[in-house]
Amino acid sequence: SFRQHVPKGLKRPPGPRGYPILGNVLELRKDPHLVLTKLSQKYGDVMEIRIGTRPVLVLSGLDTIKQALVKQGEDFMGRPDLHSFRHVTDGQSLAFSPDSGEVWKARRKLAQNALKTFSIVPSSTSSSTCLLEEHVSKEADYLVTKFLQVMEEEKSFDPYQYLVVSVANVICAMCFGRRYDHNDQELLSMVNLNNEFGEVAANGNPADFIPVLQYLPSRTMEVFKNLNRQFSSFVQKIIQEHYASFDREHIRDITDSLIEHCQENRAGENTSIPLSSEKIINIVNDLFGAGFDTVTTALAWSLMYLALYPDIQKRIQEELDQTIGRERTPRLSDRGMLPYTEAFILEMFRHSSFLPFTIPHCTTKDTVLNGYYIPKDRCVFINQWQVNHDEKLWKDPSTFNPERFLSADGTKIERTESDKVMIFGLGKRRCIGETIGRWEVFLFLATLLQQLEFSLCAGEEVDITPQYGLTMKYKKCKCFQIKKRFPVKSSP
Ligand code: HEM
């Protein structure tokens, strides 16, 4: 409906003209987050582009995005029915499927509760504050050992492949109650294909908008479908094992708690929205999938910034030495007392903006935004990168400077500043793993930095240009090096 009817007194959002049939697809071939940021400077916060023949609304500016996702949250909480998303969890994904009705709401609630119970709820059974702390401490300790071992053997290395297994182990522990060895081939073959996932699921993938492209052979699309199948069968196998050993007196992990929920459902104990067992159990697919790529990418960017800015790294380590010392390992409860470390993490989120857009949204009804008419079912891109680099919000946005988040005396985070960083989305579709994500990144980094110093091989050029995708990573970099900060205390 290119020539749609626009009600009297309202305007259609402005935007670049685009070619017939192709629309703006050629302009978007490379780095859509940068192209759309530039276009927004000309056309404004509410802009319409075309990909193929399909119109897409692009939102920029923190106030406009808040207006849409928070104040008009119901209108903008949908997900578009995109070709690639139909392959994620058999088209039933909590995050990617077009459902935004009562079933989605009930599943989101279930996911939030299960996640919380097995991560951040204060623990009664372990010596840790909560299960998340227990899992992350264990994996981070293991990672220190692994890095030292690899450094010894290789003299320089790419930390990514070790980070991804450690982070996957944390979410595996919560979802499935198990961990994997760093050499486990089944896990490695899946987690290493994740760049391909992000490439296809990215905002603006032409095949999602130009139907003819869906019938042409495409290597990335084949990899994407395979990856989703492999992912589902990996999870399916673990679910079957859980069913076989299920004991309702002893709920071990998120999978068990979802199975328990299925059984309550069948027994009619639950009076709310009826959900099929399949749609309950496969929630764990989304949690596992969303839970490792994002956090791994955050840690990979963190290590890169630390190595590129040794003075910033030193200052974090001084803060850790002063607050925690060297006699004990960091804990989640230290977070509030480490403002500089926190400022570094915020700046890493802002500067990298490694999730340049949220997952695409879609309008659920005809609506009006900033005086512009937006019809129902309009696909909407939310440009988080633009918010994090907006000259109106940030001084020298391209400079990496954690201090922008600190109060003048350096003792605390300025909430007015930290609230402007947009990386978890906003409103009804806001990330449900935000607390876990923030805490996990903090505890991994604090544990690594207490013991290790990160650097890059002298004289090597590193290319940190983000590779566009749903999550953006820099190119594989094998020239990381580490040093132990202090000798291990030898027992007498
Ligand atoms: C959705 C960011 C970690 C689970 C999202 C969205 C973003 C995001 C931008 C889309 C919001 C939107 O569409 O408006 C991040 C970042 C993370 C992180 C930056 C880490 C640093 C996690 C973790 C989990 C998780 C650890 C779970 C264990 C989800 C789920 C959704 C989601 C299930 C879909 C929500 C829905 O569609 O209703 N996240 N995330 N995320 N995230 Fe995260």
Side-chain angles (χ1 to χ4, degrees):
S1 63
F2 191 52
R3 288 248 151 267
Q4 86 241 342
H5 174 72
V6 176
K8 260 215 182 75
L10 293 175
K11 297 163 291 183
R12 209 189 141 113
R17 213 163 234 284
Y19 300 97
I21 306 175
L22 287 174
N24 306 102
V25 76
L26 296 177
E27 292 154 271
L28 295 177
R29 253 181 323 182
K30 207 176 164 291
D31 296 331
H33 57 298
L34 303 181
V35 174
L36 293 178
T37 296
K38 192 135 213 172
L39 285 171
S40 79
Q41 286 159 5
K42 180 164 177 199
Y43 295 102
D45 286 353
V46 183
M47 165 171 85
E48 188 176 288
I49 59 164
R50 265 192 316 120
I51 307 183
T53 52
R54 191 162 168 176
V56 172
L57 188 73
V58 182
L59 300 185
S60 315
L62 188 56
D63 292 335
T64 298
I65 292 173
K66 274 188 184 159
Q67 177 66 36
L69 299 190
V70 181
K71 299 209 181 95
Q72 295 174 229
E74 295 274 335
D75 304 359
F76 286 91
M77 72 178 176
R79 292 278 190 226
D81 184 6
L82 298 184
H83 176 68
S84 58
F85 292 179
R86 290 185 197 156
H87 299 285
V88 185
T89 318
D90 290 323
Q92 297 190 353
S93 164
L94 175 69
F96 294 99
S97 87
D99 181 23
S100 64
E102 293 304 315
V103 170
W104 163 76
K105 265 193 199 124
R107 290 174 84 208
R108 185 172 155 106
K109 189 106 256 149
L110 252 177
Q112 279 170 315
N113 288 336
L115 203 52
K116 209 164 135 191
T117 308
F118 288 94
S119 61
I120 61 172
V121 165
S123 174
S124 52
T125 52
S126 92
S127 60
S128 298
T129 317
C130 60
L131 288 170
L132 180 69
E133 180 175 280
E134 186 178 321
H135 301 319
V136 176
S137 289
K138 182 170 154 197
E139 295 302 330
D141 269 344
Y142 189 82
L143 196 55
V144 170
T145 312
K146 192 79 200 171
F147 279 165
L148 286 167
Q149 181 198 335
V150 178
M151 182 65 196
E152 178 86 24
E153 286 162 8
E154 319 273 338
K155 308 300 171 210
S156 83
F157 64 102
D158 172 18
Y160 189 86
Q161 63 180 113
Y162 307 102
L163 288 173
V164 70
V165 176
S166 299
V167 173
N169 272 337
V170 171
I171 190 75
C172 269
M174 300 189 299
C175 289
F176 310 127
R178 66 162 76 170
R179 73 183 297 272
Y180 291 84
D181 188 80
H182 276 254
N183 301 316
D184 189 280
Q185 288 310 309
E186 197 187 7
L187 187 74
L188 280 175
S189 72
M190 253 183 352
V191 294
N192 283 329
L193 277 176
N194 221 265
N195 293 348
E196 269 86 354
F197 183 90
E199 209 178 304
V200 175
N203 287 236
N205 172 12
D208 280 333
F209 297 91
I210 305 176
V212 64
L213 295 178
Q214 292 155 21
Y215 301 100
L216 299 177
S218 143
R219 192 201 70 92
T220 20
M221 197 57 201
E222 281 316 304
V223 174
F224 182 77
K225 286 189 209 166
N226 269 325
L227 175 61
N228 281 294
R229 273 195 289 264
Q230 203 182 338
F231 209 85
S232 292
S233 62
F234 175 85
V235 174
Q236 206 51 46
K237 204 172 88 196
I238 301 176
I239 291 171
Q240 291 317 322
E241 289 164 12
H242 274 70
Y243 266 112
S245 56
F246 181 77
D247 169 9
R248 64 174 307 164
E249 299 302 315
H250 181 52
I251 303 301
R252 299 162 289 185
D253 47 34
I254 291 176
T255 304
D256 267 359
S257 88
L258 293 172
I259 292 174
E260 182 187 31
H261 201 87
C262 291
Q263 299 192 335
E264 282 169 5
N265 244 12
R266 209 169 309 137
E269 288 169 31
N270 203 313
T271 49
S272 56
I273 306 300
L275 295 176
S276 70
S277 291
E278 195 189 5
K279 283 194 174 169
I280 293 175
I281 286 292
N282 66 17
I283 286 173
V284 77
N285 241 325
D286 275 276
L287 297 180
F288 182 46
F292 76 86
D293 181 46
T294 47
V295 175
T296 308
T297 308
L299 289 173
W301 280 106
S302 301
L303 296 190
M304 182 53 92
Y305 286 121
L306 291 166
L308 288 173
Y309 300 100
D311 295 345
I312 292 176
Q313 181 175 180
K314 274 210 188 69
R315 199 165 151 191
I316 296 176
Q317 283 160 336
E318 281 163 16
E319 188 180 67
L320 291 169
D321 287 347
Q322 276 163 18
T323 311
I324 297 172
R326 295 177 172 188
E327 302 296 319
R328 67 168 180 90
T329 53
R331 308 193 66 158
L332 284 175
S333 53
D334 297 319
R335 189 164 164 264
M337 293 173 317
L338 298 162
Y340 191 76
T341 307
E342 190 58 24
F344 168 80
I345 295 170
L346 287 163
E347 184 66 342
M348 175 276 297
F349 281 139
R350 186 198 67 83
H351 191 269
S352 71
S353 294
F354 65 82
L355 259 136
F357 296 94
T358 68
I359 300 168
H361 284 239
C362 163
T363 47
T364 56
K365 54 166 92 84
D366 295 349
T367 187
V368 177
L369 182 64
N370 293 7
Y372 295 110
Y373 172 73
I374 326 281
K376 180 175 189 287
D377 292 329
R378 177 65 85 238
C379 180
V380 185
F381 292 174
I382 310 289
N383 195 344
Q384 303 200 111
W385 195 96
Q386 187 280 335
V387 172
N388 294 333
H389 292 83
D390 191 340
E391 306 243 348
K392 294 188 206 107
L393 295 179
W394 310 100
K395 185 165 169 282
D396 304 328
S398 61
T399 307
F400 188 87
N401 175 23
E403 280 183 68
R404 65 173 81 243
F405 293 106
L406 290 177
S407 59
D409 63 359
T411 59
K412 62 175 200 299
I413 298 290
E414 286 295 355
R415 286 299 148 201
T416 47
E417 296 304 301
S418 63
D419 286 351
K420 298 190 298 197
V421 179
M422 197 175 162
I423 187 94
F424 292 96
L426 284 174
K428 305 220 175 276
R429 286 283 180 170
R430 189 180 186 129
C431 176
I432 64 171
E434 176 168 352
T435 306
I436 295 175
R438 287 185 193 277
W439 290 11
E440 196 174 339
V441 169
F442 163 76
L443 194 54
F444 262 113
L445 285 181
T447 309
L448 292 174
L449 287 174
Q450 185 191 37
Q451 301 189 55
L452 302 176
E453 189 184 304
F454 291 83
S455 58
L456 295 161
C457 304
E460 293 266 359
E461 277 288 316
V462 291
D463 178 6
I464 65 156
T465 317
Q467 310 292 297
Y468 183 71
L470 184 62
T471 56
M472 302 196 291
K473 303 165 195 350
Y474 50 84
K475 286 208 189 87
K476 198 174 168 68
C477 173
K478 288 193 195 163
C479 47
F480 276 88
Q481 295 184 315
I482 51 160
K483 269 211 306 261
K484 228 179 165 353
R485 290 190 60 225
F486 45 87
V488 197
K489 259 189 256 124
S490 52
S491 19

